[in-house]
Each structure stands twice: as C-alpha cells, then as structure tokens.
Amino acid sequence: IRYTHKHKNGTILQRKRWACYQRALQGYDGAIVLPSVGGHDSARRLGRRHLQVALLCFGISLAYSCRVNLSVGIVEMTNKNSTSGFPTYAWDQSQTGVVLSSFFWGYVVTQIPTGMLAHHFGPKLFLMAGVVGCSLLTIFTPLAAAYGGWRLMCALRVGEGLFQGMIYPSTHTMLGRWIPPLERGRASALVYCGSSLGTVVTMAGAGLLAASPWGWPSVFHVPGALGLVWGIAWLWMAADSPATCAAISDREREYIESALGASSSGEKRHRVPWGSILKSVPFLVLIITHVCQSFGHWILLTQLPNFMKNVLHFDIKSNGLTSALPYLCLTLSSFLVGYLAQVVNERKILSLTASRKVFNSMAHWGAGTALMLLAFMDVTPDQAVALLTVTVALESGTLAGYLVNHVDLSPNFSGALMGVTNSLSNTMGIIAPIFVSQLVGDASRSTQADIERGWSTVFLITAIVYFSGNSLFVLAGSARVQPWNSPSPAESKRQQASASCLSSADTVSSTV
C-alpha cells in the first residue's frame, strides 16, 4: 500500500512501507492519504493493459468472422438457382447441418488442455496459434468444398474448431493476469464484444461479398487474410503478463500487481486443484449457465440466415444485411453494458455478486421473453426481425454476467475454468444445427406451415432453456474469489481476510 505524505513546500513523498514513512515523518507536517485502487492515477490512464484489451477484441472478432462466415456462405454455396457462375453443391438440409456443427467437434477438444497449458506456459502463443491457424484453414475452404465435398468440409471445420478452442481459455488467462478486479466488467465487455463485432461485419459483409463479382469464395478469403495480419500485430505487441512486458511503465505494472494482490499468482506455476473446483457449487452453476447460454446463442448464430431465407424469404444480399442487424445492436449494447458495469462496480451500487446476476438476468430472461413472443404471436417479417434484434442485443448482458465470472471465482485458474465450461457448453454448437434441422425439416420437402410451426417450437424451447439456466445462476451463483484459488494456506487466509469485509453486502444482495 502506498502512503502519501505532503511536505510544507507542496512536495509529495510516497513510501511503500510503514517503517519508511515513520522515518520520513520527522520534519514534515501533513496527513496520511490512503487512496483507493480505483482512484489511482494509473487507473485513469491509457496503458499497456488497454492495448492488450484492444488486441484481444480484434482477435476474437476475426476468429468469429472465420467461424460464422459459413452460416451465410453456405446459403449461396447450396443455392441451386444461383447465376453467379461459381460452383454450387447439392447438399441437403441434414448435410449442411452436419457441416455447420462439425466445427464444434474440434472446438470442444482443445478447451481444457489449453486452459491448463496457458496457465503454465503463458497465453500469448496459444492465442496466436488459435487465430492464425484458423485463418489459414479458412482460406482453403473453397478448395475443400471443390475437391472433397461436404465430407472434406467437415474435416476442415473440425481443424478450425481445434485451433479456435485455444482462444477463449487463453483470453481468460490474459484477463486474469492483466486486468484489475474493478476494471474487469468493462474490459471483458470490450474484449468479448469482439464476437458480436466479428459477427455483424461478417453477416453484412459476407452477403455483399457473395453477391459481388468475387463470389462466395471471397467470404472465406477476406477474413482469413485479415487474421494473418492480426497475428503479426499480436506477436509484436502482446505479452503474457505485466511482468513479462518490456514496454509497460513501472507505474502501470505496480498498479496492476497491487490491485490483483494475492488473488493472482502472475507467472508462478501452480497445480490446478481439480478436486476442489469440481466440488464448488458456484462453479457447477456456472457450467449450467454457460451451457444454457450456448444453446440459444448457437441456434441464433448458425440458423438465423436459414430462418431469414425459408421463413421471411429474404435473398442472399438482404439475408446477410438483415442477419447482421441483431449483431450490430449487440455490438453497440456491449459498449453500453461495459460502461454501466464499470459505474455499478466502482461506485459499489451493487455488490459484485449482485451485479453479475442483474446483468445476466437482463440477458437471459429478457431474451427468453422476446423469444416466447416470437413463438406465440403471429408477427410480420419486420416484427420478427425486431424481436430477434432485441433477443440478440440483450445477450450483451452476459459480458458483465456469467462470462467474466470465471475470473471472479479464480483469477489464477480462470483459463482452466473457461476451458471446462466452454468445452461443455459448445457441445450445444454440435446439437443446435441438428436440433433445428430435425424440428424444421428440409425446406424443399416441407410445407410453409410446417416450417413456421417448427421454428415456433425452436424459439419456445430456447426461451425455456434461457429461463432455467439463469434461475440457477441467480439462486446459487457467486462472484467471490474461491478458497481453492490460493495456492497455499497462508495466501488463502490473506485472501479470505481481504474478502471478509464484502461478505455481508454479498449475502444481502444475493438474497434480494
């Protein structure tokens, strides 16, 4: 803790230890000022940690571009009436569903191993491998479709999933090492709004590129090339932690390390306490919440262009632009959520636990309500787009809700926690396209009434899943650092002592 003393002539003296301050006290007339971490000058200055946040945001944005471009591109790739002059493929609804879901066959495999490896060896290179490796495979997508059909497409998408499985656990490890607790809400919102930014640009841009003279192959070439450019910038400007960053100022490094305190071990390597983690009620609830979120997220993200085409009857250009609208609103609302979370947490309007639950409830219960209206009401195309836009935009609440809760529970092992929850939750990415194809059926063989009835069922089930998952999070979730985060009994006692002053407020707010 820094103690600040003001000399008679206005000079400010700062000492790190009480003994040093006592010696300096002789001959000076002033008072001890103990600034809060949030009031430190470094908290208000742009620094190296903000550069890491920006790089992470753009990295996740490009990763999502490489992930969701197929959702729009495959509509044109399988369009039998296309006059673009580029090859099309006679894949039925079941085959396209398998192609779309195959990404997640690889995605769920690398989550947990990467979370552990990023904790031990640093997240920088794993993040680079995730984005750059996926970008290279994305560039080869048109060749895979031409020479291997839907089967080789599945294999390539599995490879993309293996690479992208490294991204989220490594990102959480970066946030745990770089971002002070009071800044996590805003930082995580900015970082993970990259997913919505990448989605909106890809949804809109993919439709325009597919309708351009470059055709649908450019939907894969453009984001792949941009991902390679990002890799160069990341290698040059990123660092595993403040301790290994040569360009960071001493003031900012000290601010981050003092703010994190005993909750983060920085570069030290500790064994992941899997036994304690898997018996932790807040973590088990977090898994369920993450799974429920991913179920709705991937149904909307992978199947929205399908809904736009077969129910609302938009062409490829209008389809891409309209599918992008909800994610444009999500991007804008993400910045608003980041600002609100920062204000709520810094001013202590709510406890951290209550704050996480309020933002997550806004996302899940709000989206569930909009989907139930969409399922039960007879709406026009414009009304349907409006309800879907509200549903997706409200998802921004998760950025200050469950999504940053891994870092709350354990800054030391947040990457490993994210690996577990993201691995399990993204099995929904495998299930969602197949689930929709079974309920909706093949558009070429089903009547319009059957297709619309199938989509109403899809929306209703998704709403129920949202309501159920968040109810558990509200009842049993927590944002307090868990005892197993600390690698030694001594540090555990210090951690519990520093958190004890917040326990009463957390308990009351959680009960409310």
Side-chain angles (χ1 to χ4, degrees):
I1 301 174
R2 282 190 178 275
Y3 294 87
T4 304
H5 187 274
K6 189 173 182 180
H7 187 266
K8 290 179 180 179
N9 62 10
T11 304
I12 299 296
L13 298 182
Q14 292 183 325
R15 296 291 184 267
K16 293 183 180 179
R17 302 176 187 275
W18 174 247
C20 295
Y21 178 78
Q22 283 183 318
R23 289 196 297 270
L25 188 62
Q26 299 175 2
Y28 294 93
D29 181 20
I32 298 175
V33 179
L34 184 60
S36 65
V37 173
H40 197 290
D41 285 346
S42 295
R44 292 177 171 82
R45 293 180 179 177
L46 288 177
R48 208 68 184 180
R49 68 189 185 281
H50 300 105
L51 177 61
Q52 309 303 304
V53 167
L55 288 170
L56 287 170
C57 176
F58 285 116
I60 289 179
S61 176
L62 291 168
Y64 255 73
S65 294
C66 295
R67 185 188 305 194
V68 305
N69 54 7
L70 186 62
S71 297
V72 176
I74 203 167
V75 175
E76 185 65 13
M77 291 169 70
T78 57
N79 184 5
K80 300 175 184 178
N81 302 318
S82 175
T83 58
S84 64
F86 291 91
T88 58
Y89 307 99
W91 302 340
D92 60 28
Q93 185 71 29
S94 297
Q95 290 170 337
T96 57
V98 172
V99 171
L100 287 170
S101 68
S102 59
F103 173 90
F104 299 94
W105 304 349
Y107 190 66
V108 300
V109 172
T110 49
Q111 298 276 335
I112 297 175
T114 301
M116 298 170 65
L117 292 171
H119 170 69
H120 283 285
F121 301 107
K124 176 181 175 179
L125 293 181
F126 290 101
L127 268 161
M128 181 177 176
V131 177
V132 172
C134 181
S135 298
L136 284 171
L137 291 179
T138 299
I139 292 172
F140 291 110
T141 299
L143 292 176
Y147 292 102
W150 69 273
R151 291 180 177 84
L152 187 55
M153 278 288 294
C154 286
L156 181 137
R157 293 288 288 181
V158 169
E160 290 184 14
L162 288 170
F163 280 113
Q164 287 214 21
M166 303 178 184
I167 294 175
Y168 267 51
S170 301
T171 299
H172 257 50
T173 303
M174 287 284 290
L175 291 175
R177 293 182 175 188
W178 274 94
I179 306 301
L182 291 179
E183 296 183 20
R184 281 182 194 145
R186 178 177 61 188
S188 64
L190 292 175
V191 168
Y192 290 114
C193 83
S195 61
S196 55
L197 179 63
T199 300
V200 65
V201 172
T202 303
M203 289 286 193
L208 295 174
L209 287 172
S212 73
W214 298 290
W216 63 259
S218 61
V219 172
F220 305 98
H221 293 154
V222 172
L226 292 175
L228 300 182
V229 174
W230 176 90
I232 297 172
W234 177 258
L235 186 63
W236 176 36
M237 292 185 284
D240 286 316
S241 70
T244 61
C245 182
I248 192 173
S249 67
D250 292 337
R251 179 186 292 269
E252 186 183 11
R253 181 186 291 112
E254 184 179 324
Y255 163 63
I256 295 172
E257 292 175 349
S258 63
L260 292 174
S263 67
S264 176
S265 59
E267 293 296 299
K268 297 178 183 178
R269 301 176 182 179
H270 300 290
R271 188 175 181 179
V272 181
W274 287 116
S276 300
I277 289 174
L278 297 177
K279 291 186 289 186
S280 171
V281 173
F283 178 64
L284 295 177
V285 169
L286 180 58
I287 292 176
I288 296 171
T289 307
H290 200 161
V291 168
C292 293
Q293 158 66 19
S294 290
F295 180 80
H297 175 80
W298 290 117
I299 280 181
L300 293 172
L301 189 59
T302 62
Q303 297 301 313
L304 198 55
N306 184 0
F307 177 77
M308 298 288 185
K309 176 186 176 184
N310 295 320
V311 177
L312 304 184
H313 305 295
F314 293 149
D315 58 34
I316 182 63
K317 188 174 181 179
S318 300
N319 190 339
L321 292 171
T322 309
S323 296
L325 178 61
Y327 295 95
L328 173 61
C329 294
L330 174 59
T331 303
L332 298 176
S333 62
S334 296
F335 292 108
L336 177 61
V337 165
Y339 171 77
L340 290 176
Q342 186 79 358
V343 170
V344 168
N345 294 333
E346 280 191 344
R347 297 183 182 178
K348 299 182 181 179
I349 298 172
L350 296 171
S351 71
L352 198 57
T353 296
S355 171
R356 300 290 186 245
K357 293 178 180 180
V358 167
F359 281 106
N360 211 71
S361 297
M362 177 188 74
H364 284 186
W365 288 348
T369 301
L371 287 175
M372 291 187 76
L373 292 174
L374 194 58
F376 288 115
M377 292 177 61
D378 185 14
V379 296
T380 65
D382 289 341
Q383 291 170 338
V385 171
L387 285 171
L388 287 170
T389 300
V390 170
T391 300
V392 174
L394 286 174
E395 190 177 310
S396 60
T398 63
L399 299 176
Y402 89 90
L403 193 56
V404 73
N405 195 222
H406 309 73
V407 188
D408 295 329
L409 298 179
S410 177
N412 281 332
F413 306 113
S414 56
L417 301 189
M418 187 61 169
V420 173
T421 66
N422 212 30
S423 179
L424 295 174
S425 67
N426 277 285
T427 56
M428 297 298 104
I430 301 173
I431 295 171
I434 300 173
F435 169 77
V436 172
S437 66
Q438 293 300 312
L439 284 179
V440 175
D442 193 337
S444 62
R445 300 174 185 173
S446 303
T447 65
Q448 187 66 25
D450 289 338
I451 293 174
E452 292 178 0
R453 192 180 304 112
W455 274 105
S456 294
T457 306
V458 169
F459 292 142
L460 178 60
I461 293 174
T462 305
I464 293 171
V465 170
Y466 272 146
F467 275 103
S468 302
N470 190 65
S471 296
L472 283 175
F473 188 70
V474 169
L475 291 173
S478 175
R480 297 181 63 187
V481 177
Q482 299 301 293
W484 39 263
N485 173 69
S486 299
S488 68
E491 289 189 11
S492 180
K493 290 179 181 179
R494 288 198 298 270
Q495 188 70 36
Q496 292 173 358
S498 64
S500 62
C501 61
L502 299 174
S503 60
S504 299
D506 263 40
T507 302
V508 171
S509 299
S510 298
T511 304
V512 173

